[in-house]
Amino acid sequence: MEKWINTQKTFYAEKKKRVYYLSLEFLVGRSLGNALINMGLMNEVTEALEQLGHDLEDLREREEDAALGNGGLGRLAACFMDSIATMKIPAYGYGICYDYGIFHQKIIDGYQVESPDSWLRFGSPWMYERTAFVYPVNFYRRVTSCLDENGNYRATWIDTEVVMAMACDMLVPGFNNDHVINMRLWKARASRELDLSHFNVGDYIGSVDDKVRSETLSKVLYPSDEIREGQELRLKQQYFFVAATFCDIMRRYLKHNDDFIDFPNQVAVQLNDTHPAIAIPELMRLLLDDHGLAWEVAWDICVKTFAYTNHTLMPEALETWSVEMISRVLPRHMEIIYEINRRFLEEVAMKFPGSKRKIREMSIIEEDGVRRVRMANLAIIGSHSVNGVAALHTELLKRDLFRNFHEMYPRRINSKTNGITPRRWLLKCNPDLAALIGEEIGFDYITDLDQLRKLEAHADDPAFQKRWQQVKRGNKQKLSALIEQTCAITVDPDSMFDIQVKRIHEYKRQLLNILHVIAFYHRLIGEPDSTEAARTVIFAGKAAPSYKRAKLIIKLITSVADVVNRDPRIKDRLKVVFLPNYNVSLAEKIMPAADLSEQISTAGTEASGTGNMKFSLNGALTVGTLDGANIEILEEVGSENIYIFGMTAEQVEYEKLHKSRTPLDIYNTNPVVHRIIDAIGNGQFSSGDTETFRPLVDDLLSEHDPYLLLLDLESYLTCQETISREFLDKRTWSRKSILNVARMGKFSSDRTIGEYAREIWGVEPGI
Ligand code: HTP
């Protein structure tokens, strides 16, 4: 805390430009181990605990994950916090302190069952409630307006319902630098005024009821990843944390400034996806209504202040809100959005005279059907920078999704390839590998990941390879014990650990993986003497509670596992495992134990991926499509050190239009594929029941399958056969594994944050 206070003081003293990273999700995981490592206290604390008769490892296992996120988006935000602290960037994370994070997943009868994650039931030692920082946030009701003395339109939002936002701070220490930054998460509290109005008329229960209702705002994280949520509560959560954050931003800014001329030089706001995009009309409202600025001046400040990160091309993830709902919940913001749009469309009409289509597509308001506000359009128009999260993703943004905007503002869209923090994802999760590397090349690589290149010189050294293999084997043994303990499945640590862990989504194609598992199973039955490498195929991941198909895919995986694991003909040559309740701390145990990393999304659908980077950094080889950051991993590690298969994004586009081959063609001509599909359809994995998995079989054979599983299956199967062969050659495999790690420097989130800092925020890292 001392270091944290000092850090804040230096921000003030040096009048630094502040960066605000606004995110509805921060998937932090556990903090104890990470804090000890970053502060260099690991050995002292281990020893001190020993003297007290405690084991640090046991203690660490008792910590609840702070699971305030769904997947990649929230974990990226958490990695960014670590890099920001480590690089001494004057930045804050801002979000919501949910009482319930992402749900806990159990597997019962092979199906996902959700239960609430009440991570705060015993409190959290890492959260500090700051009762001095409590702000009112307004909702609903009406706007009045008048002309001021200069004849300018002035609006006031009145009769509002008020919810209080209380600050809860989480400290994030940088690595080895005495720097501690702040993540401020807001909790909803009932306002006193509201209670009193009820008390006065004697409605005691009513007042308590109101209190409970306003506090639901920060109750629970929405558990859907890359699926838009239309509920009013979600919009209210978004505005709640944005409004409270801007109270803080304004308070800090106005301490040292009397006007707003310098605002964009003092403040940068990064919007993590469109979830906080309501910040754009909120800043306009503050500048216009509270501070009396003219529209043009306020708008100029806004655009210079905001930057927006887009994380996905999937249409089902693009947020829109009905005009009706925004008008009701945030009436003044709706007026401002209309005015932003009116002025913007005038610009469009000037730039593209006569183009009705451009106006229709670029308008913030979607006009067909129920009128809706397109948050992405609002975010692009209101920001000076729009970034994608990997090179291919950014190209596709420019070419397709945001084509019109790119034409209009050719300098706005830019690319910032995602990264991961090497502190958590190597040093903390894989201490043996981190130590082995450090012995060879020193420990500077932890804050300068490009130094891993020095490992290239050792890739062929048999002695080094041996130690490398021993570390991997140790990690696999640990994971085997965990699998035994949680799933009661015995796996062989010498088999290939073939792993796919991530949210369950059709586009991520866990189904394709299981099709290969079935093919391998059939082959093992047919060729009892084959010497193919034994495999342990491991899955983990949550499905959104309302996502039926994703849940059925989990059921198929667990059903295949049941059949395969019990089949005496298979012996130990294939095991299939679904580890329940994937979260950050489970990921930390899985990544170090992987031989093969499955990154097999349909090309053009996975914006970046970050799990792909974690696996590689821990010495797994990737089997993947030319999608997201896989392409950049290929560029870094070289084609001999990665297994690429399947169609390119362009080929996917072409096939969708021209359908040169249909899934049925493939099913009818390829006997291996035929047999896999029939096995699912005929009930081989459902005790003869042919209905359970019918929807999956229908999807696979449909010529409208948007994810083209069968079109990529043959190439995937061939690629997997190559992998099976090459895994048996320990020396070549180890060499590839070492080279993967050696060439992961680019994927440090320090590199990513350095680029955001210099190219978007206009701040220099302190180191
Ligand atoms: C996504 C993409 C994934 C990215 C991750 C972080 C969506 N956040 N939201 N993300 O599915 O590919 O790596 O940018």
Side-chain angles (χ1 to χ4, degrees), residues 509-527:
R509 301 201 296 193
Q510 281 92 355
L511 194 48
L512 186 65
N513 186 341
I514 206 74
L515 296 181
H516 164 251
V517 170
I518 296 171
F520 186 39
Y521 174 53
H522 287 159
R523 199 158 67 233
L524 288 176
I525 293 174
E527 300 167 28

Side-chain angles (χ1 to χ4, degrees), residues 71-74 76 225-226 273 309-312 389 418 507-508 605-610:
L73 177 110
L76 184 74
D225 183 68
E226 303 204 47
D273 211 310
T309 305
N310 172 282
H311 291 271
T312 180
V389 290
N418 283 166
Y507 85 80
K508 296 179 188 281
T605 63
E606 187 73 273
S608 162
T610 43

Side-chain angles (χ1 to χ4, degrees), residues 74 132 551:
K551 290 179 132 176

Side-chain angles (χ1 to χ4, degrees), residues 470-643:
Q470 278 163 356
V471 169
K472 182 62 83 184
R473 178 109 198 331
N475 293 333
K476 288 167 75 176
Q477 246 164 347
K478 279 189 210 146
L479 185 62
S480 304
L482 182 77
I483 291 171
E484 181 82 57
Q485 200 188 324
T486 48
C487 310
I489 300 171
T490 309
V491 305
D492 174 7
D494 289 317
S495 63
M496 180 203 306
F497 279 23
D498 168 356
I499 309 187
Q500 187 173 24
V501 291
K502 48 182 81 246
R503 286 296 287 242
I504 312 292
H505 243 291
E506 288 162 279
Y507 85 80
K508 296 179 188 281
R509 301 201 296 193
Q510 281 92 355
L511 194 48
L512 186 65
N513 186 341
I514 206 74
L515 296 181
H516 164 251
V517 170
I518 296 171
F520 186 39
Y521 174 53
H522 287 159
R523 199 158 67 233
L524 288 176
I525 293 174
E527 300 167 28
D529 302 322
S530 91
T531 53
E532 225 174 313
R535 288 197 195 218
T536 301
V537 184
I538 300 169
F539 295 85
K542 291 172 183 175
S546 58
Y547 192 171
K548 294 233 172 66
R549 270 298 187 276
K551 290 179 132 176
L552 191 55
I553 291 170
I554 294 181
K555 175 62 179 168
L556 178 61
I557 296 170
T558 55
S559 303
V560 171
D562 276 348
V563 170
V564 170
N565 297 346
R566 282 191 201 146
D567 189 328
R569 294 167 295 182
I570 297 305
K571 304 203 185 70
D572 276 343
R573 293 181 299 164
L574 172 63
K575 286 278 162 69
V576 183
V577 176
F578 189 97
L579 275 166
N581 202 40
Y582 184 57
N583 59 11
V584 174
S585 37
L586 183 55
E588 288 172 27
K589 300 180 172 115
I590 290 175
M591 298 299 166
D595 294 305
L596 186 64
S597 152
E598 298 270 354
Q599 307 299 336
I600 59 179
S601 51
T602 313
T605 63
E606 187 73 273
S608 162
T610 43
N612 47 2
M613 304 167 187
K614 292 163 199 165
F615 276 111
S616 249
L617 183 61
N618 284 278
L621 306 196
T622 302
V623 56
T625 45
L626 287 172
D627 200 15
N630 295 352
I631 297 175
E632 288 157 77
I633 294 178
L634 161 67
E635 283 166 9
E636 293 299 303
V637 304
S639 58
E640 337 71 74
N641 301 308
I642 187 169
Y643 300 97

